[in-house]
């Protein structure tokens, strides 16, 4: 488990526009799930429970100073490294910087997810069986509600689309990006040494995922449907109710 120490990144730099006006004053990962728990503090607690007190990186940009004073993170501050992004949603430059300082791969989560601890543990166990492979976690969703689309063949991601509703509004179940990744050190080196051009603010989904897919290096991991992505105020309310009822451990 020590191979993941300092090698976990939670993406927390987004604007969270779909939750405006709430996110005009509070970064989305810091929205409360309960009196004592925010979205990101809950994820950090789960990771610490599974892996022990390891260092976790958070990339931040929108209302960045809020993370430094947030009460739900106060008892976790000694285990957090904050990585400031000059532009919203940027992630590649931070990942490149962190990767250059490490000899291991990186486990990455979107910072707006409510997940079950057992699912996180299953994914980590898969990584630890062979940390030379990169993984994209996917779950199923009806095509009419999908904002990404993943085609899988022989346990490899064959094609990847993200950036709007998938064409063909039907109830057909398709694989979609779960917002959870593991990138091996070898694959990160291959990508960053390829001298591909990307600007400040570039995202993982725009550059790194297509690169690994094209080179047949991105493996598929099926996540359970037991997750909530906080992409709307109704999703936030659903997550609060689910957590209060103990539906996520």
């Amino acid at each position: 488990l020590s191979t993941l120490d300092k090698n976990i990144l939670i993406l927390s730099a987004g604007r969270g526009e779909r939750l405006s006006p709430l996110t005009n004053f509070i970064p989305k990962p810091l929205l409360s799930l309960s009196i004592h728990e925010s979205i990101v503090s809950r994820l950090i607690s789960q990771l610490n429970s599974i892996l022990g007190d390891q260092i976790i990186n958070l990339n931040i940009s929108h209302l960045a100073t809020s993370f430094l004073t947030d009460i739900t993170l106060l008892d976790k501050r000694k285990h957090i490294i904050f990585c400031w992004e000059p532009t919203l949603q940027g992630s590649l430059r931070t990942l490149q910087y962190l990767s250059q300082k490490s000899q291991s791969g990186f486990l990455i989560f979107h910072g707006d997810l409510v997940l079950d601890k057992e699912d996180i543990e299953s994914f980590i166990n898969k990584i630890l069986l062979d940390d030379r492979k990169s993984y994209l976690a996917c779950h199923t969703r009806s095509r009419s509600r999908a904002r990404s689309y993943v085609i899988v063949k022989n346990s490899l991601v064959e094609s990847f689309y993200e950036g709007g509703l998938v064409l063909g509004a039907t109830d057909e179940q398709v694989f979609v990006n779960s917002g959870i990744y593991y990138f091996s050190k070898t694959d990160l080196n291959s990508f960053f040494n390829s001298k591909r051009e990307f600007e400040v603010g570039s995202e993982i989904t725009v550059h790194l995922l297509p690169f690994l897919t094209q080179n047949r290096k991105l493996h598929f991991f099926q996540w359970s449907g037991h997750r909530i992505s906080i992409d709307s105020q109704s999703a936030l309310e659903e997550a609060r109710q689910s957590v209060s009822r103990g539906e996520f451990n």
Side-chain angles (χ1 to χ4, degrees):
L1 297 182
S2 60
T3 59
L4 290 175
D5 191 29
K6 299 182 182 179
N7 286 60
I8 300 172
L9 173 62
I10 299 178
L11 304 179
S12 307
R15 175 69 176 79
E17 291 182 354
R18 288 197 288 268
L19 278 94
S20 178
L22 291 177
T23 49
N24 292 344
F25 309 99
I26 305 171
K28 182 163 64 167
L30 295 181
L31 291 172
S32 64
L33 294 175
S34 67
I35 296 175
H36 305 291
E37 194 173 55
S38 65
I39 299 168
V40 73
S41 75
R42 185 176 190 279
L43 179 55
I44 292 172
S45 294
Q46 289 174 312
L47 290 167
N48 285 338
S49 176
I50 295 168
L51 296 167
D53 292 333
Q54 303 204 20
I55 299 298
I56 295 174
N57 303 280
L58 268 67
N59 75 327
I60 57 177
S61 182
H62 174 59
L63 301 173
T65 56
S66 299
F67 288 88
L68 307 181
T69 58
D70 184 75
I71 192 169
T72 67
L73 295 180
L74 287 181
D75 65 336
K76 300 174 175 58
R77 282 286 305 278
K78 65 181 179 180
H79 300 299
I80 298 174
I81 295 176
F82 294 105
C83 308
W84 182 72
E85 297 280 0
T87 58
L88 297 178
Q89 294 185 310
S91 52
L92 268 183
R93 290 294 178 92
T94 292
L95 181 57
Q96 183 178 33
Y97 170 74
L98 294 173
S99 180
Q100 288 171 345
K101 299 176 64 176
S102 173
Q103 298 302 312
S104 302
F106 267 83
L107 173 62
I108 301 177
F109 297 85
H110 286 198
D112 61 353
L113 299 176
V114 176
L115 304 170
D116 193 88
K117 179 183 169 184
E118 290 183 5
D119 290 335
I120 299 172
E121 196 162 16
S122 294
F123 189 54
I124 289 173
N125 287 337
K126 182 72 171 180
I127 292 165
L128 295 177
L129 286 174
D130 188 353
D131 63 2
R132 297 167 299 176
K133 295 179 179 178
S134 295
Y135 289 95
L136 169 64
C138 302
H139 63 284
T140 58
R141 199 170 195 179
S142 66
R143 183 186 287 269
S144 60
R145 299 178 60 228
R147 287 191 172 88
S148 63
Y149 185 28
V150 180
I151 296 177
V152 179
K153 186 175 182 180
N154 298 328
S155 79
L156 287 170
V157 175
E158 190 170 70
S159 64
F160 172 85
Y161 164 83
E162 185 160 315
L165 288 175
V166 177
L167 295 178
T170 70
D171 291 331
E172 174 194 1
Q173 296 292 301
V174 296
F175 286 121
V176 298
N177 179 7
S178 295
I180 304 151
Y181 322 100
Y182 174 77
F183 301 117
S184 72
K185 178 62 175 176
T186 299
D187 289 341
L188 287 173
N189 285 345
S190 177
F191 173 72
F192 289 121
N193 292 337
S194 67
K195 299 182 179 178
R196 295 169 64 90
E197 295 290 333
F198 54 85
E199 301 175 352
V200 173
S202 295
E203 296 184 56
I204 286 170
T205 54
V206 176
H207 296 275
L208 181 52
L209 292 186
F211 174 83
L212 294 178
T213 299
Q214 291 164 10
N215 288 278
R216 299 188 61 77
K217 295 290 186 180
L218 190 58
H219 292 76
F220 164 79
F221 179 90
Q222 184 161 0
W223 201 269
S224 78
H226 197 38
R227 64 183 287 286
I228 300 175
S229 175
I230 312 298
D231 56 7
S232 66
Q233 294 196 31
S234 60
L236 176 61
E237 184 57 33
E238 178 190 355
R240 286 170 171 168
Q241 292 180 9
S242 295
V243 169
S244 69
R245 291 193 294 261
E247 295 174 4
F248 289 88
N249 64 27

